[in-house]
Each structure stands twice: as C-alpha cells, then as structure tokens.
Amino acid sequence: MDIIVLVKQVPNTTDVKLDEKTGSLIREGLESILNPDDRHALEAAVQLKEATKGHVTVVSMGPPQAIEVLTEAIGMGVDQGILLSDTAFAGADTWATSSTLGKAIQQIGKFDLIICGRQAIDGDTAQIGPQVADYLHVPQVTYVAEIDNIDEKSVIVKRRLEDGYEMVESELPALLTVISEINKPRYPDVGKMIAACHEDASIKTWNAADIGVTVHEVGLAGSLTHVIKTYVPKFKRQGEIIEGDTKAVVRELIQKLGRSEGSTACKAVAAACRLEAS
Amino acid sequence: MIRANAEELIRKSIARFVDREIIPRAQEIDNKKEFPIEILKQIAEMGVFGIRYPKEKGGAGGNTTLYCIICEELARGLMSVAAITAMQCLMGTNFLFHFGTDQMRQTYFYPAMRGEKFSCFCLTEPEAGSDLGAVSTSAKKTEDGYMVNGLKTWVTNGPIADFFTVLCQTNPAKKFRGLNFFFIPRDTPGVSVSQPFETLGTVTTKMSEVAFSNVHIPEDYRLGQEGQGLDNLMTILAEIRSMTAALAIGLQRAALADSIRYAQEREAFGRPIGKYQLIQAKVANMATQLEASRLMTYRATRMIDQGIPCMTEASMAKYFATEAACTAADECTRIFGAYGYSMEYNAQRYYRDSRFLLNGGGTHEILQTNIARWAGL
Ligand SMILES: Cc1cc2nc3c(=O)[nH]c(=O)nc-3n(C[C@H](O)[C@H](O)[C@H](O)COP(=O)(O)OP(=O)(O)OC[C@H]3O[C@@H](n4cnc5c(N)ncnc54)[C@H](O)[C@@H]3O)c2cc1C
Ligand SMILES: Cc1cc2nc3c(=O)[nH]c(=O)nc-3n(C[C@H](O)[C@H](O)[C@H](O)COP(=O)(O)OP(=O)(O)OC[C@H]3O[C@@H](n4cnc5c(N)ncnc54)[C@H](O)[C@@H]3O)c2cc1C
C-alpha cells in the first residue's frame, strides 16, 4: 500500500496574531512545530504501513526550514520525504497550495491513500485536504476518527459528526483528513532523525520546475483569491451567561437590564421578564 | 541540499516529550518513589539509550553533544529519570559495548538499548570513594576465568540492574595497574544486592550495595586488556563530567523557569515580587550562571566529539554548572518563600536533587584540587 501524508509546519500557537499594517502573521518569537493534526495523520499512515508492509511518503510545501517537520516524520517511521520549496510558491492561497500539492502528488505517481490533518492551527481553513482530493479527482472522507478496515480496493472509516459518528466506505485511492482522536502519535526515533539529518537519500527538495509548473500557476501569482485586508475583530460587547435557579437568574437579569441604559428592546425584555417572574 | 540541524531537532523533540510526558507527572512520580519504568520504556522506544553508539552497531549514531542535550532536557523534567538514562547510555554499557563478545552484546547490550535490561557501574566501595587506588574488590585468576570477592556501594540502579560493570583489583601489588573492569550478570551465583538506600534526592533512582562472594566468571568477562582498567575509565571521564554538567544545566533551567513564573504571579506589598530588585538580582544571577554553564559544557562536548582532549574543560564545566545548579535550587526555594519549603511545589525537589550532582564524576574538592594543579599550582 502506497500512502502519502501531507504535513504543514506552523507557529506554535493557536492565538494567531496579525500585523495590522501588512495583514500577515506575526511569526517572530514563535517556535515552529509540526501541525498537531498532522502528527496524527503520520501515525495513522505509519500504523497502516506496519500492518500492510506499505510505503509512506510525506510531503510539505513550505520554506526551507520546513525540512524539520519532514525529518520528524522520518523519525516516526515514514520512508521518504519531499519538501516543496521555491520562492515561487510563496504567498499561495488555499487553491494555489492545494494545486501545488496535487501536482507534486501526480509527480510522485502511484498512491492508494492520502492522509491529511483536518486543519492547520494557523491558516485554520481545513480546505487543503478536500481541495487536494478534488484536484486529483479522488473521493474524500473528512473528520476521520478511526480507520476500521482497509484492503487493496477500499477503506471503511468512522467519521466524526457534530453529535455522533458515521461509518463510511470509500473506494481507493482516496483522501482522508484525520482528527486527533484517531490515535496517540509515537515520539520520533532519535536515530532515524539523526540519519535523516546527515544523508540525502530520505528527503528530496522539489522546486516549481521539478513538479512541472510555471511560476504563474503557483504562489501569489497562481492564487485565485487575494486578501484585501486582515484585521482582528473587536469585541465591544461581551455576552454573559447567568446560571443558577430560574427565579434568581431572572432577578439578576432584570437588575442588569435595569441598570443598563436600556434600549426599547431591553425594556421590552425586562418587562417580559417581570411578567414571567410574577 | 537542505537538511535539518540534528542538535536543534533532537532538543525540540526530547523537550516536547519532557513537557508532555514528564513535567505534568514529575511530582507524582517522585512522591511514589518507584523506579519510573514506564517513562524509561518510552525513552527506550525513542532510541535514546543508543545515542552515543554507531548506528551500524545497534546505536542511534549520535555523539556526546547530542547525548548531553538529551540529558539536559530530561533533567529539566525529572533528575532521577535523567540520571538513569545517563547511566544506561554511558557508564553502564560503554565497556560492554567496546570489549564484550558478540554473544554478550546479543544477550545484554541490545536488550539494554531497547530498555529490556538495565545496567549499572560499580566503582565505589565502603572504604574507597574518591581514592580508587584503595579499591579492594578482588578478581583472582582461576584456571578458566576469575573469582570475584568484595563489596561495592552507592551503585546507582543496583537494585534493578540486570548486569554490572565492576572495577576490581587483580593484583594489589600493581596498585592502579592492577585495576580491571569485569562484566558480571546479576544472576551469577554469589551476587547479592542490598535493599535500596533511603536518599535525600532523586528518590526514584535506586542505589544499593552489591556484594560478590566467590563469584566465578569466564575469562572473556574481563572488559579490556589486562591492567587497562584505569586507562579505560579515563577514556570516558571527561564525558561523564560533561554529562553531569548537562544534568546540572537542566536543573538550573527548571529552577529558573519556576522562579520567574512565581516572581511574576506572587504579590507582596501590592506588587509582584519580581518587581523588587533583590528578587531580580537572584534571577539575573541564575540566568547568567546558566548561560556560562551552557558555554562551558557544550564547549567540552564539542571537543570530545572532535577527539580533542578536554579533561580540564570538562572538569571545570562539571564543577561550575553543578555549583550553579545548587545555587539556583537554593535561590528558587527562597523566591518561593514558605512554599519553597512545601512538598507541594517543585522547588523542594530541585533543592534535594541538586545534591545528587555533587559526587558523581568526582567531588568538587577533588575537581578543585585537579584544576588548581592544571592551572600550575
Ligand atoms: C498570513 C497569511 C496570508 C494568507 N494569504 C492568503 C490569501 O491571500 N488567500 C488565501 O486563500 N489564503 C491565504 N492564506 C491561507 C494559506 O493559503 C493557507 O495557510 C494554506 O493554504 C494552508 O491552508 P490552511 O493553513 O488553512 O490549512 P488547512 O486546510 O487547515 O490544513 C489541513 C491539512 O492540509 C495539509 N496542509 C496544509 N498546508 C499544507 C502545506 N503547505 N503542505 C502540505 N500539507 C499541507 C495538512 O495535512 C493540514 O493538516 C494565508 C495565510 C496566512 C497565514
Ligand atoms: C547519588 C549518588 C550516586 C552514586 N552512584 C554511584 C555509582 O553508580 N557507582 C559508583 O561507583 N559510585 C557511585 N556513587 C559514589 C560516588 O562516586 C562517591 O560518593 C564519590 O566518588 C566520593 O566518594 P565518597 O562518597 O566515598 O567520599 P570520600 O572520598 O570519602 O570523600 C569525603 C569527603 O572528603 C573529600 N576528599 C576526599 N579526598 C580528598 C582530597 N584528596 N582532597 C580534598 N578533599 C578530599 C571529598 O571531596 C568529600 O568531601 C554515587 C554517589 C551518590 C551520592
């Protein structure tokens, strides 16, 4: 079984801060890590490899330092890595990211399964997996919490819904995006990482020419969307939840509304509450 | 060709393990006073025990710098886990690796790398600590091997070890030239191990006495050429000292981080205590000594990795970094006020564990004596 895992290097924070002037992410002082969901994607792939004597390739598009997450992936038991790095790839929107990843996968050739994380903690769109599947015309199953069964032709997975799970069968090749409950990722093996730091064999670097694209098709130039402005929403008013015994809650609510300046709506609510209370 | 930096990557990876698997449970593990086998199994699974040994011979293909980086990160989490790991990577397995037969490596070395067997290192005796010339455990030549008799003490891992590397005297007339290392499996008839000692710090690392009474071992259990015991010890002494310095750096980092956090949170006289200059001075001194410890220690490890003799540098690093760790732990308990005296906070553990670092690899009185001599006195 040939498995491809897509991973992203992200800043180690869920509290993404934006530079108000440039609209770009403030990365200074933040260490870079393997996107948390992607660690689960790698573990799922390595477990399948161990069970089926398969082969796992990990791919990441990013700046040269993204080599780190690929080396970590090798430490977890992945067979080879491909770093897609080229200044032409910079500034990609999710479409350009997905199509570049898709091109690279076509370049790799044969695959039975692609596994992605559900979502990256910085960009946060959860679009890449689905878009790559669409680009390659393969079925996709998102929010995978368990791989129940897999053979050469199909895969059955448990998929997380808002209030439960569903079992889905898909033919192969397919793309899965996984969530953290799927497994407990192993820690990388230090020996495998050291070897990958010293030899060229396990991780290759590909640029735009290597995957057969022109610079106009990728990165900022190849992006279909353009961000006009980025800003952090300002929360002027904050909701408040009053809990406890109904009567006490209503009394407190009336008090609070009474104290506020009181729009017509507020007054109406207060009146309604008073009625209810009496 | 783009490549990751092995030192940064290994540090980050072990740090992540320490932050997630050790630090949240460090107090609980320490309170239980039990050998932390679960954590050690995880460490073995990451291939850490083989960090100093070549890949083609069952190791991880690292070097002394990487070994010390790992020791430092683990010590930031829990000193006893770091100490057991340090022993398993270096003193406990080194001579078996270099001088053991293939069969001994199969039966003991590879399982030790996988965390299935544990090792230890027996130099100290009740009457021989700093003065190794006084070692009296004897290994008498027999027709087909040696007969070992004597008592070792302060054997780290003694209570749980599966095999021992034991310094013995084969010919008292030759003094230092009569010292040799021997490999002795625990299940050899005549080997007995005492109850674990009650200790001040590193309470999950078990230490004990190990007694040898008419223990008969084959000839090839002598590790190294006849009479080379002390020379062989010298080949790893700078590394032992650098490793101890790295453990001390880990402890300094933990004490400093806790001190800063507490100084920001705790208020007295209406302000966080970190706003007072006397507290700032403590933090400034800790941070400065930490930085100096790092520079000294990793200078020594890089010299070891390049094959440059560095006994002076490594001894100075061990002496300086350990004193700094003792000071940092002391200052940390002061910054914590009464809570530094409470068993609920880590500060007390840093204070107790810092004492662990003082003796191994040479006491500071011995190191100072040597350093003064090397300085020309
Ligand atoms: C400052 C900034 C500016 C941006 N500008 C634009 C813009 O102008 N237009 C626009 O549409 N988007 C823009 N983006 C979003 C950017 O394109 C996305 O970060 C990127 O496409 C990946 O999407 P995501 O982070 O939401 O990943 P998700 O879709 O949340 O990631 C899901 C999974 O896809 C895989 N994956 C994601 N990225 C990669 C990768 N690089 N290599 C390999 N696998 C990957 C991983 O498995 C991951 O778990 C911007 C983002 C930032 C932070
Ligand atoms: C936690 C711990 C773990 C240990 N683990 C091991 C182990 O795994 N294997 C092992 O073999 N040993 C181990 N030891 C023992 C350690 O190596 C010895 O404690 C050390 O060698 C010092 O020996 P000693 O305790 O007998 O002190 P002594 O040599 O009796 O020294 C007592 C005091 O006198 C000072 N002193 C001695 N000689 C001189 C001198 N010439 N000039 C000035 N001052 C001097 C010393 O510095 C010390 O302050 C361990 C000890 C501890 C505390």
Side-chain angles (χ1 to χ4, degrees):
Chain A
M1 173 153 300
D2 290 308
I3 306 164
I4 293 171
V5 183
L6 303 180
V7 303
K8 185 181 186 189
Q9 190 180 42
V10 295
N12 188 9
T13 178
T14 45
D15 182 20
V16 176
K17 299 220 164 49
L18 296 168
D19 183 324
E20 301 236 344
K21 276 199 199 109
T22 63
S24 62
L25 196 72
I26 301 173
R27 287 176 181 270
E28 281 78 48
L30 292 176
E31 114 184 291
S32 297
I33 57 166
L34 175 62
N35 180 48
D37 278 349
D38 302 358
R39 206 176 279 282
H40 297 273
L42 288 165
E43 177 64 33
V46 174
Q47 283 182 14
L48 285 177
K49 165 191 157 165
E50 287 165 352
T52 65
K53 299 215 174 5
H55 183 272
V56 183
T57 304
V58 57
V59 182
S60 187
M61 181 179 108
Q65 64 262 31
I67 190 81
E68 246 190 35
V69 295
L70 293 178
T71 314
E72 251 189 284
I74 299 277
M76 288 177 72
V78 163
D79 300 285
Q80 64 161 341
I82 294 167
L83 173 64
L84 299 174
S85 203
D86 192 317
T87 46
F89 297 152
D93 69 357
T94 63
W95 154 256
T97 304
S98 312
S99 55
T100 307
L101 290 168
K103 273 277 181 201
I105 292 168
Q106 286 171 339
Q107 185 76 11
I108 293 167
K110 190 180 152 325
F111 65 88
D112 300 293
L113 195 63
I114 300 171
I115 309 181
C116 298
R118 174 200 54 171
Q119 198 161 353
I121 58 171
D122 57 346
D124 236 0
T125 67
Q127 289 171 5
I128 299 301
Q131 287 179 178
V132 169
D134 187 59
Y135 186 89
L136 296 168
H137 303 296
V138 297
Q140 56 176 287
V141 188
T142 53
Y143 285 79
V144 171
E146 192 185 318
I147 298 175
D148 188 59
N149 194 35
I150 190 161
D151 56 33
E152 297 91 70
K153 292 207 168 64
S154 66
V155 61
I156 300 174
V157 300
K158 190 165 120 184
R159 176 172 190 268
R160 172 121 213 189
L161 303 173
E162 224 161 274
D163 49 5
Y165 295 94
E166 65 182 359
M167 302 298 289
V168 181
E169 180 168 8
S170 165
E171 58 184 32
L172 296 180
L175 182 146
L176 312 178
T177 80
V178 302
I179 57 176
S180 63
E181 71 178 75
I182 191 169
N183 53 37
K184 183 174 189 304
R186 68 195 69 191
Y187 287 91
D189 179 279
V190 293
K192 287 182 183 150
M193 287 195 286
I194 293 167
C197 289
H198 296 295
E199 66 192 29
D200 297 339
S202 51
I203 304 174
K204 294 190 193 82
T205 308
W206 286 355
N207 60 21
D210 292 324
I211 56 168
V213 292
T214 66
V215 295
H216 310 292
E217 297 169 70
V218 294
L220 193 59
S223 294
L224 302 180
T225 57
H226 287 278
V227 176
I228 300 162
K229 185 182 172 195
T230 350
Y231 61 95
V232 182
K234 294 210 170 30
F235 295 105
K236 287 206 183 108
R237 291 187 303 179
Q238 209 120 51
E240 190 185 339
I241 293 173
I242 308 168
E243 278 173 308
D245 167 69
T246 314
K247 276 194 177 161
V249 167
V250 170
R251 206 169 298 129
E252 196 181 336
L253 179 63
I254 290 169
Q255 241 183 17
K256 278 182 192 286
L257 289 172
R259 232 187 281 135
S260 69
E261 302 236 332
S263 63
T264 321
C266 278
K267 281 178 191 145
V269 171
C273 288
R274 237 174 264 131
L275 259 181
E276 183 87 354
S278 62
Chain B
M1 191 66 209
I2 302 166
R3 284 177 183 164
N5 177 309
E7 289 178 16
E8 281 173 28
L9 194 63
I10 300 287
R11 184 185 286 285
K12 226 166 154 175
S13 190
I14 300 296
R16 188 170 166 274
F17 172 78
V18 168
D19 288 336
R20 298 167 71 98
E21 308 289 337
I22 301 187
I23 289 178
R25 294 163 55 200
Q27 275 300 78
E28 180 199 326
I29 296 169
D30 201 61
N31 287 343
K32 272 203 199 142
K33 299 194 180 185
E34 283 167 12
F35 186 68
I37 186 70
E38 294 307 323
I39 298 264
L40 291 163
K41 290 260 181 232
Q42 283 181 289
I43 292 173
E45 274 166 24
M46 294 189 288
V48 162
F49 293 155
I51 187 70
R52 301 171 54 254
Y53 298 115
K55 199 160 181 69
E56 52 293 354
K57 291 189 175 167
N63 56 20
T64 300
T65 301
L66 289 170
Y67 167 54
C68 288
I69 286 172
I70 293 174
C71 289
E72 177 194 325
E73 288 298 331
L74 292 175
R76 182 172 65 80
L78 187 58
M79 184 60 77
S80 51
V81 166
I84 300 164
T85 304
M87 171 64 73
Q88 188 82 345
C89 296
L90 175 58
M91 298 86 84
T93 52
N94 186 71
F95 298 125
L96 168 64
F97 173 78
H98 286 290
F99 304 119
T101 60
D102 276 348
Q103 209 243 319
M104 285 154 76
R105 274 196 284 267
Q106 286 296 339
T107 324
Y108 294 97
F109 179 76
Y110 299 123
M113 294 299 100
R114 296 192 296 265
E116 292 158 11
K117 286 202 157 87
F118 283 91
S119 63
C120 63
F121 196 47
C122 314
L123 306 184
T124 307
E125 297 180 2
E127 306 300 329
S130 304
D131 179 11
L132 287 181
V135 161
S136 67
T137 295
S138 66
K140 286 218 173 67
K141 195 88 191 68
T142 62
E143 229 167 66
D144 56 349
Y146 291 90
M147 181 80 85
V148 178
N149 277 291
L151 180 64
K152 292 291 178 180
T153 190
W154 284 106
V155 180
T156 298
N157 281 1
I160 51 90
D162 299 283
F163 59 93
F164 308 89
T165 298
V166 187
L167 188 67
C168 299
Q169 181 56 264
T170 52
N171 184 350
K174 288 194 184 165
K175 264 210 105 177
F176 286 117
R177 287 279 144 226
L179 291 173
N180 287 285
F181 282 105
F182 290 88
F183 173 77
I184 306 182
R186 187 196 191 93
D187 53 12
T188 316
V191 176
S192 57
V193 177
S194 75
Q195 284 298 307
F197 298 159
E198 288 283 334
T199 55
L200 173 68
T202 57
V203 291
T204 71
T205 314
K206 302 297 168 190
M207 292 128 197
S208 67
E209 287 183 334
V210 182
F212 304 94
S213 169
N214 291 332
V215 175
H216 188 212
I217 48 169
E219 170 97 38
D220 54 15
Y221 277 19
R222 191 190 68 232
L223 300 171
Q225 281 187 3
E226 174 76 51
Q228 297 282 302
L230 208 62
D231 291 346
N232 289 331
L233 179 60
M234 287 303 150
T235 63
I236 57 167
L237 193 56
E239 196 172 1
I240 295 174
R241 290 181 177 166
S242 305
M243 170 272 287
T244 314
L247 296 178
I249 294 174
L251 190 112
Q252 290 178 54
R253 286 175 59 200
L256 177 61
D258 281 17
S259 297
I260 292 171
R261 208 175 310 121
Y262 194 76
Q264 286 169 335
E265 284 167 9
R266 176 74 180 175
E267 291 199 3
F269 302 96
R271 297 161 76 192
I273 57 169
K275 295 278 179 211
Y276 298 111
Q277 289 181 345
L278 284 172
I279 300 292
Q280 289 167 2
K282 290 184 197 300
V283 168
N285 288 343
M286 286 158 87
T288 306
Q289 297 210 354
L290 168 61
E291 189 60 17
S293 301
R294 279 184 177 133
L295 293 171
M296 291 173 80
T297 303
Y298 289 104
R299 171 160 183 251
T301 67
R302 285 182 214 294
M303 289 173 82
I304 293 171
D305 288 334
Q306 289 165 28
I308 303 168
C310 63
M311 193 64 82
T312 310
E313 290 79 359
S315 304
M316 287 176 170
K318 194 261 166 174
Y319 168 49
F320 184 86
T322 299
E323 289 296 343
C326 290
T327 310
D330 181 3
E331 294 290 38
C332 178
T333 61
R334 293 168 198 250
I335 291 172
F336 270 72
Y339 301 95
Y341 199 60
S342 158
M343 295 309 275
E344 256 181 63
Y345 288 84
N346 291 331
Q348 52 78 25
R349 193 179 78 241
Y350 303 149
Y351 190 77
R352 290 183 292 111
D353 285 356
S354 67
R355 315 309 286 182
F356 165 82
L357 301 163
L358 284 171
N359 292 283
T363 67
H364 289 194
E365 292 73 22
I366 296 290
L367 294 181
Q368 281 172 290
T369 307
N370 290 344
I371 293 166
R373 193 175 72 243
W374 295 325
L377 185 66

